[in-house]
């Protein structure tokens, strides 16, 4: 099936632990994005990448890190420096030529 | 003042009614406007994507953009219980939100059978 796959659906983090969220796509899209959604809030941009081996900080990048070694994959690491990591994390992709963003089904991260 | 304002609701209407959802914004650089529908525990699904001012229709959905007033709307005709969801407006200065989208908080819509 074509699409955007986020895994796992649910993730728990212990204090002081880094965790990595996976986002994989087979749409051949160049651009990939990570957003965070808190209850009753809109989505906020964490990081984005428009091409392999390049990425930019979004509005709330502190405490997060990313890599883009392959076109298909854009993993997000939530580090121990992120003091309030409990949220719904959404990955999006977009093709070239101003195509709109499409989203995966998210990973819900909670603190143990 | 936040960049994008959207009434969180909940907005409750009877089945078959016309629904009007709205967002206002402050950044005059925004040119691309989107509406997403989000069901509980799911990712947002793109409903409408428009550029600059004007109207766009797709089935029961109509999107309107008034850049002079910095105001966008989504109309849903013949609303169905399956339309019950949170509706998010999003916008950007560049096509496809190339450097990220700015979202409203979302409006929770309930269609009563």
């Amino acid at each position: 099936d074509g699409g955007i796959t986020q895994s796992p659906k649910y993730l728990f983090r212990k204090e002081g632990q880094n965790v990595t969220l996976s986002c994989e796509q087979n749409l051949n899209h160049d651009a990939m994005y990570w957003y965070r959604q808190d209850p009753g809030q809109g989505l906020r941009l964490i990081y984005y990448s428009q091409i392999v081996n390049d990425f930019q900080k979004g509005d709330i990048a502190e405490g997060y890190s990313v890599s883009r070694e392959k076109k298909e994959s854009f993993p997000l690491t939530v580090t121990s420096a992120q003091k309030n990591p409990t949220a719904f994390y959404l990955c999006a992709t977009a093709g070239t030529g101003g195509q709109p963003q499409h989203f995966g089904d998210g990973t819900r991260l909670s603190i143990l | 003042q936040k960049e994008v304002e959207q009434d969180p609701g909940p907005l409750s209407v009877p089945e078959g009614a016309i629904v009007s959802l709205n967002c206002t914004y402050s950044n005059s650089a925004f040119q691309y406007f989107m509406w997403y529908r989000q069901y509980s525990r799911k990712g947002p699904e793109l409903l409408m994507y428009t550029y600059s001012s004007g109207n766009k229709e797709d089935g029961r959905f109509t999107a309107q953009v008034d850049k002079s007033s910095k105001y966008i709307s989504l109309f849903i005709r013949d609303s169905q219980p399956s339309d019950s969801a949170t509706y998010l407006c999003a916008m950007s200065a560049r096509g496809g939100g190339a450097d990220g989208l700015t979202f409203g908080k979302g409006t929770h819509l309930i269609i009563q059978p």
Side-chain angles (χ1 to χ4, degrees):
Chain A
D1 284 348
I4 303 165
T5 302
Q6 291 191 242
S7 61
K9 290 186 72 70
Y10 300 95
L11 187 59
F12 298 92
R13 194 191 91 169
K14 295 180 181 179
E15 293 288 341
Q17 187 180 46
N18 294 353
V19 291
T20 298
L21 285 61
S22 171
C23 180
E24 302 279 332
Q25 55 107 354
N26 61 7
L27 301 170
N28 200 34
H29 285 174
D30 286 311
M32 298 186 74
Y33 303 83
W34 276 105
Y35 293 88
R36 168 182 172 140
Q37 186 176 32
D38 294 282
Q41 301 292 319
L43 281 66
R44 292 182 289 167
L45 182 66
I46 304 173
Y47 268 98
Y48 64 102
S49 167
Q50 294 177 330
I51 197 169
V52 174
N53 291 323
D54 189 41
F55 49 82
Q56 285 76 40
K57 293 182 179 180
D59 300 320
I60 55 167
E62 186 173 352
Y64 300 97
S65 66
V66 293
S67 63
R68 186 85 187 275
E69 298 177 1
K70 299 186 301 181
K71 187 174 185 178
E72 301 80 17
S73 179
F74 191 40
L76 173 74
T77 296
V78 183
T79 75
S80 56
Q82 172 49 243
K83 298 307 179 188
N84 185 22
T86 298
F88 191 41
Y89 290 87
L90 289 155
C91 175
T93 73
T96 56
Q99 295 180 41
Q101 294 179 25
H102 295 271
F103 286 83
D105 273 340
T107 291
R108 190 166 301 275
L109 176 62
S110 302
I111 298 300
L112 285 177
Chain B
Q1 183 185 8
K2 296 190 184 301
E3 271 201 299
V4 179
E5 299 276 4
Q6 185 176 9
D7 187 334
L11 174 63
S12 183
V13 301
E15 183 176 357
I18 296 175
V19 175
S20 173
L21 304 168
N22 311 293
C23 289
T24 60
Y25 63 96
S26 58
N27 187 346
S28 57
F30 289 148
Q31 296 192 80
Y32 297 86
F33 303 92
M34 287 132 277
W35 286 96
Y36 288 88
R37 178 175 64 195
Q38 186 177 26
Y39 293 113
S40 181
R41 304 181 194 280
K42 291 289 202 178
E45 172 193 7
L46 180 69
L47 288 176
M48 301 291 280
Y49 179 45
T50 57
Y51 169 71
S52 194
S53 288
N55 295 355
K56 182 177 181 179
E57 185 174 323
D58 184 359
R60 297 185 296 113
F61 299 93
T62 300
Q64 286 187 352
V65 175
D66 182 349
K67 288 190 66 182
S68 63
S69 302
K70 296 189 179 67
Y71 187 87
I72 68 171
S73 301
L74 178 71
F75 297 95
I76 307 174
R77 291 183 298 281
D78 187 26
S79 56
Q80 306 293 312
S82 59
D83 294 328
S84 298
T86 296
Y87 289 79
L88 298 161
C89 64
M91 46 199 78
S92 67
R94 296 177 61 192
D99 47 5
L101 297 172
T102 300
F103 282 84
K105 291 185 176 182
T107 298
H108 182 43
L109 175 65
I110 301 168
I111 307 297
Q112 303 165 338

